[in-house]
Amino acid sequence: MPTLQDVAKLAGVSSATVSRTFNNPELVDFATRSKVTAAIRKSGYTRNETARSLATRSSRTVGILTDTFVSNYFAPILEGASKLLGQYGYYATVAATEHNLSDAESTDSQIRAWRSLIDRQVESIIMLAFMESADLAHLAKEFPKSIVIGTSIDADQHQCITFDHYIGGRLAAEHLLKNGHHNIVMITGPTHKQDSVQRGQGFIDKLKEHDIQLGINQIFIGDYTFQGGRNAMRKIIESGQNPTAVFAQNDDMALGVASECYNAGIAVPKDTSIVGFDNSNLSTVMSPPLTTIDQPLMLMSRAAATLALNISYGRAHQTPLENPQTHFIPTLIERDSVANIRT
Amino acid sequence: MPTLQDVAKLAGVSSATVSRTFNNPELVDFATRSKVTAAIRKSGYTRNETARSLATRSSRTVGILTDTFVSNYFAPILEGASKLLGQYGYYATVAATEHNLSDAESTDSQIRAWRSLIDRQVESIIMLAFMESADLAHLAKEFPKSIVIGTSIDADQHQCITFDHYIGGRLAAEHLLKNGHHNIVMITGPTHKQDSVQRGQGFIDKLKEHDIQLGINQIFIGDYTFQGGRNAMRKIIESGQNPTAVFAQNDDMALGVASECYNAGIAVPKDTSIVGFDNSNLSTVMSPPLTTIDQPLMLMSRAAATLALNISYGRAHQTPLENPQTHFIPTLIERDSVANIRT
DNA sequence: CTGAAAGCGCTTACAG
DNA sequence: CTGAAAGCGCTTACAG
């Protein structure tokens, strides 16, 4: 691999000049510039970003911390962030924690992944909300150039892209109510997750305002997975409650519910209606297409990336991009999985 | 951020010694080693990987070149490769091309993404088979430390992780035959893609061996997407052929087929059977679960990562890992989407 | 076992 | 407009 020096020699100029024709071409005379350009082409030179990063003390990369790549949640976030970053000449690099570990090991793995990002000199870190808020807050405190996406952590030295899960829950309830449902059941996400409790709270509150109490036997604990949704739906069927509608706190579980209905010969939405949450890829692909709450992950991750860029620009005394929207409001996407049973 | 120098000063040793206690602790005296360790802990030092890369001329990272993150194909590959690499202290970094471009722009975008990887000094590049073989071959020639996954390109200065799509096609046909199907239809992937033509050829050949000719009107051109599958199935229905079975060349399209059947009131598998290809996440989550051909992407990407590691180890005169399996054979995963109509 | 020194490939004031 | 020089934060022969 040829270096700047090689090119300089070939063009008969100093390496400083070559560097300038790369970074500030307007500073170099037209004639020498074209000599240099020719030499670059001839030698097949490409810049060594590592050396550049070291010299400029800026890596132009932002880290993304996640727990897994195989997820409907992660993909649009990575897509949105990396494309936006790319538009500004920045890179995204991602670190994932290991899986299926004990709690202690898992914390360890998270810290290792996080540290690997810092070691690689990322200029900021976008953290997905896969761990407990307290842990997120802890990491964000250690590394103030953190952005958390999907949940809010109360500490102000970092920034959050938030989504109103509570309102989302209310919207789901409202839609069911509007369609005449009273005998309703809910499948939650992991109970220790903020977003899940908020979705649940919004749902419960809205129902209560219409004098419908969601009892303990109408709430089933899930885990945001397809299998979790299936298991919960099986229990629901076995319970003999025959709800007219089920609210699954995410689309993966909603698909599980639909699958279990299929097995049990329950028609959706005729026999039981389903509303999901997230508006993931899955929701358009199901039969029938799923009525769900939209969480605009792609937009949210673009916003996070914009925040990240502004952190970098601030450090470099460049003018920041416009401030992005930082709080997102859900909307309900009506498709075909809930029936109007109003008579 | 404290540097090696800072730690050295704090511990009263040279920076070389600090570096050694990081990289070759056995070379430094126990007493000074503990002084250094204390200083590291006290200062909160973490190594600057950028500087290290420059000094050692090794980035310990391998690049992955893809076209998109939102794909059932990409996720398991990224997952497999990055986890394996992580086990050996290496990093994966991914570059994606932009989308929805004209041909010329798209080639341009591919080259930019690829170059960005090289600029970042990756030690090898794992390329997914999202572009034409000829283009892949071209890039692999420019950068011999390339590994292509999912297809084979004939040039020997690089390495391929291949999968026998042809046999996969045969397997699909065999299974349909075994279950008594004769009136069969096939939906292909993009016709310019190697894997698609191989899958198709295997399918056609096997059928022919049993005296079943797949006519031109029994082959529908798809594009490996859900919508493509739907559209094709609609055409199939409109054609009035009433096939007893359809072979979709990937699972996304198979899901589209199932969806269209649902809309048309066609029962799967009672009225029409479906076999897919890839054994992606989708296949277990469909109703009914999809009979499909397994392409073990996670294993394949782990193999690719192993090859990548061996390239790096070779360069550093380290002893290579064991040679991984480099050619993968499909198996059919029988689930519930094909009916036995043998009488 | 440890340190001084050179070097990795760039960038960027500073002079001219 | 251009170049010599110092420096970014490490590593690694080379001496001792």
Side-chain angles (χ1 to χ4, degrees):
Chain A
M1 291 265 97
T3 69
L4 255 203
Q5 281 294 352
D6 299 330
V7 177
K9 212 159 294 173
L10 218 134
V13 298
S14 75
S15 61
T17 297
V18 181
S19 174
R20 282 192 202 97
T21 105
F22 249 95
N23 302 312
N24 302 90
E26 68 280 9
L27 295 185
V28 9
D29 189 73
F30 180 79
T32 83
R33 204 196 306 170
S34 46
K35 272 195 305 187
V36 172
T37 320
I40 288 172
R41 201 180 322 270
K42 183 162 172 205
S43 62
Y45 171 79
T46 58
R47 157 202 276 152
N48 181 328
E49 279 286 356
T50 303
R52 179 179 214 263
S53 294
L54 186 58
T56 59
R57 282 172 283 315
S58 87
S59 62
R60 294 195 303 179
T61 114
V62 350
I64 300 181
L65 187 62
T66 184
D67 58 340
T68 179
F69 299 115
V70 184
S71 125
N72 291 317
Y73 184 74
F74 174 68
I77 287 182
L78 182 54
E79 178 86 12
S82 107
K83 295 286 162 84
L84 186 132
L85 256 14
Q87 278 171 29
Y88 293 91
Y90 273 67
Y91 306 113
T93 192
V94 6
T97 63
E98 280 116 68
H99 268 132
N100 308 330
L101 302 173
S102 71
D103 277 8
E105 285 174 331
S106 145
T107 298
D108 218 62
S109 164
Q110 285 161 198
I111 291 181
R112 262 205 312 280
W114 175 74
R115 170 145 299 167
S116 89
L117 253 15
I118 294 175
D119 287 356
R120 283 182 279 169
Q121 308 302 113
V122 298
E123 300 185 6
S124 53
I125 296 181
I126 296 175
M127 303 197 290
L128 308 202
F130 65 90
M131 33 181 173
E132 314 243 357
S133 292
D135 293 337
L136 283 172
H138 181 73
L139 293 185
K141 192 163 185 145
E142 289 284 314
F143 190 76
K145 293 169 291 188
S146 293
I147 292 156
V148 355
I149 193 169
T151 193
S152 90
I153 62 181
D154 30 53
D156 51 11
Q157 67 271 58
H158 57 271
Q159 326 191 30
C160 300
I161 301 295
T162 53
F163 175 75
D164 203 323
H165 300 282
Y166 179 83
I167 294 201
R170 291 184 66 93
L171 248 32
E174 184 183 345
H175 189 252
L176 255 19
L177 257 12
K178 209 177 63 190
N179 284 283
H181 294 274
H182 298 99
N183 183 188
I184 296 171
V185 127
M186 171 169 77
I187 305 175
T188 74
T191 49
H192 62 87
K193 294 204 70 183
Q194 272 267 294
D195 47 29
S196 172
V197 339
Q198 289 169 189
R199 290 172 188 193
Q201 201 52 248
F203 192 74
I204 288 172
D205 286 357
K206 181 69 187 181
L207 251 33
K208 193 173 291 171
E209 290 171 19
H210 290 252
D211 293 322
I212 300 183
Q213 283 276 10
L214 217 56
I216 187 74
N217 57 330
Q218 291 165 102
I219 298 177
F220 292 76
I221 309 294
D223 59 1
Y224 282 163
T225 71
F226 171 78
Q227 253 311 132
R230 274 187 91 150
N231 296 342
M233 189 61 197
R234 179 151 40 235
K235 280 191 212 144
I236 291 167
I237 294 172
E238 286 166 0
S239 78
Q241 300 188 49
N242 280 12
T244 63
V246 5
F247 169 46
Q249 283 188 3
N250 81 348
D251 291 349
D252 286 52
M253 293 195 300
L255 182 53
V257 170
S259 163
E260 200 58 31
C261 285
Y262 174 88
N263 290 341
I266 298 173
V268 176
K270 199 169 73 59
D271 300 333
T272 116
S273 295
I274 305 176
V275 5
F277 206 114
D278 282 344
N279 193 26
S280 76
N281 290 331
L282 252 30
S283 53
T284 54
V285 128
M286 289 171 56
S287 297
L290 184 68
T291 292
T292 189
I293 308 297
D294 182 49
Q295 178 176 21
L297 290 173
M298 197 96 92
L299 292 180
M300 288 166 68
S301 72
R302 289 177 67 90
T306 304
L307 248 27
L309 246 21
N310 281 344
I311 289 175
S312 294
Y313 287 177
R315 252 174 24 123
H317 305 289
Q318 290 176 254
T319 96
L321 301 178
E322 206 177 320
N323 268 122
Q325 180 181 351
T326 179
H327 186 248
F328 289 77
I329 302 295
T331 54
L332 181 131
I333 310 287
E334 184 166 359
R335 285 194 273 252
D336 307 327
S337 65
V338 355
N340 188 338
I341 59 170
R342 183 153 247 147
T343 47
Chain B
M1 291 265 96
T3 70
L4 253 203
Q5 280 294 351
D6 298 331
V7 178
K9 212 160 294 173
L10 218 134
V13 298
S14 76
S15 60
T17 298
V18 181
S19 174
R20 283 193 201 96
T21 104
F22 249 94
N23 303 312
N24 301 90
E26 68 282 7
L27 294 185
V28 10
D29 188 72
F30 180 77
T32 82
R33 204 196 306 170
S34 47
K35 271 194 305 185
V36 172
T37 320
I40 288 172
R41 201 181 320 271
K42 184 162 170 204
S43 62
Y45 171 79
T46 58
R47 157 201 277 151
N48 182 327
E49 278 286 357
T50 304
R52 179 179 214 263
S53 293
L54 185 59
T56 60
R57 282 173 283 313
S58 89
S59 62
R60 293 195 304 179
T61 113
V62 353
I64 301 182
L65 187 62
T66 183
D67 59 339
T68 178
F69 299 116
V70 185
S71 125
N72 292 317
Y73 184 72
F74 173 68
I77 287 182
L78 182 53
E79 178 86 13
S82 107
K83 295 286 162 82
L84 185 131
L85 255 15
Q87 279 171 29
Y88 293 91
Y90 273 67
Y91 306 113
T93 193
V94 6
T97 63
E98 279 117 68
H99 267 131
N100 307 328
L101 303 173
S102 71
D103 277 9
E105 287 174 330
S106 142
T107 299
D108 218 62
S109 163
Q110 285 160 198
I111 291 181
R112 263 205 312 282
W114 174 74
R115 171 145 300 169
S116 88
L117 254 16
I118 294 176
D119 288 355
R120 284 182 278 168
Q121 309 300 116
V122 298
E123 300 185 7
S124 55
I125 296 181
I126 296 175
M127 304 198 289
L128 308 202
F130 65 91
M131 35 180 175
E132 313 242 358
S133 291
D135 293 337
L136 283 172
H138 181 73
L139 294 186
K141 192 166 186 142
E142 288 286 313
F143 189 77
K145 292 168 291 187
S146 293
I147 292 155
V148 354
I149 192 168
T151 192
S152 91
I153 62 182
D154 31 50
D156 52 10
Q157 69 270 60
H158 57 272
Q159 326 192 29
C160 300
I161 300 295
T162 53
F163 175 77
D164 202 322
H165 300 282
Y166 179 82
I167 293 201
R170 292 184 64 94
L171 248 32
E174 183 183 347
H175 187 253
L176 256 17
L177 257 13
K178 209 178 60 190
N179 284 280
H181 294 275
H182 299 99
N183 183 186
I184 295 172
V185 129
M186 170 168 77
I187 305 174
T188 73
T191 49
H192 61 86
K193 295 204 68 182
Q194 272 266 294
D195 46 30
S196 172
V197 338
Q198 289 168 188
R199 290 172 189 193
Q201 200 51 249
F203 192 75
I204 288 170
D205 285 358
K206 180 70 189 179
L207 251 31
K208 194 173 290 171
E209 290 171 17
H210 290 252
D211 292 323
I212 301 184
Q213 282 275 8
L214 219 55
I216 187 74
N217 57 330
Q218 289 165 103
I219 298 177
F220 293 76
I221 310 294
D223 59 0
Y224 281 163
T225 70
F226 171 78
Q227 254 311 133
R230 275 186 89 148
N231 296 342
M233 189 61 198
R234 179 152 39 234
K235 279 191 210 140
I236 290 167
I237 294 172
E238 286 165 0
S239 78
Q241 299 188 48
N242 281 12
T244 61
V246 4
F247 169 45
Q249 281 186 4
N250 81 347
D251 291 348
D252 286 52
M253 294 195 301
L255 181 53
V257 170
S259 163
E260 200 58 29
C261 285
Y262 174 88
N263 290 341
I266 297 174
V268 176
K270 199 169 73 58
D271 299 335
T272 117
S273 294
I274 305 174
V275 5
F277 205 114
D278 281 344
N279 193 25
S280 76
N281 290 330
L282 252 31
S283 54
T284 53
V285 128
M286 288 172 56
S287 297
L290 184 69
T291 292
T292 189
I293 307 296
D294 182 49
Q295 179 177 21
L297 291 174
M298 196 97 90
L299 292 179
M300 287 165 69
S301 71
R302 289 177 66 89
T306 305
L307 247 29
L309 246 21
N310 280 343
I311 289 175
S312 294
Y313 287 178
R315 253 176 21 123
H317 305 291
Q318 290 175 255
T319 97
L321 300 177
E322 205 177 321
N323 268 123
Q325 178 181 353
T326 180
H327 186 250
F328 289 77
I329 302 294
T331 54
L332 181 131
I333 309 287
E334 183 166 2
R335 285 196 273 252
D336 307 328
S337 64
V338 353
N340 188 337
I341 60 171
R342 181 151 250 147
T343 46

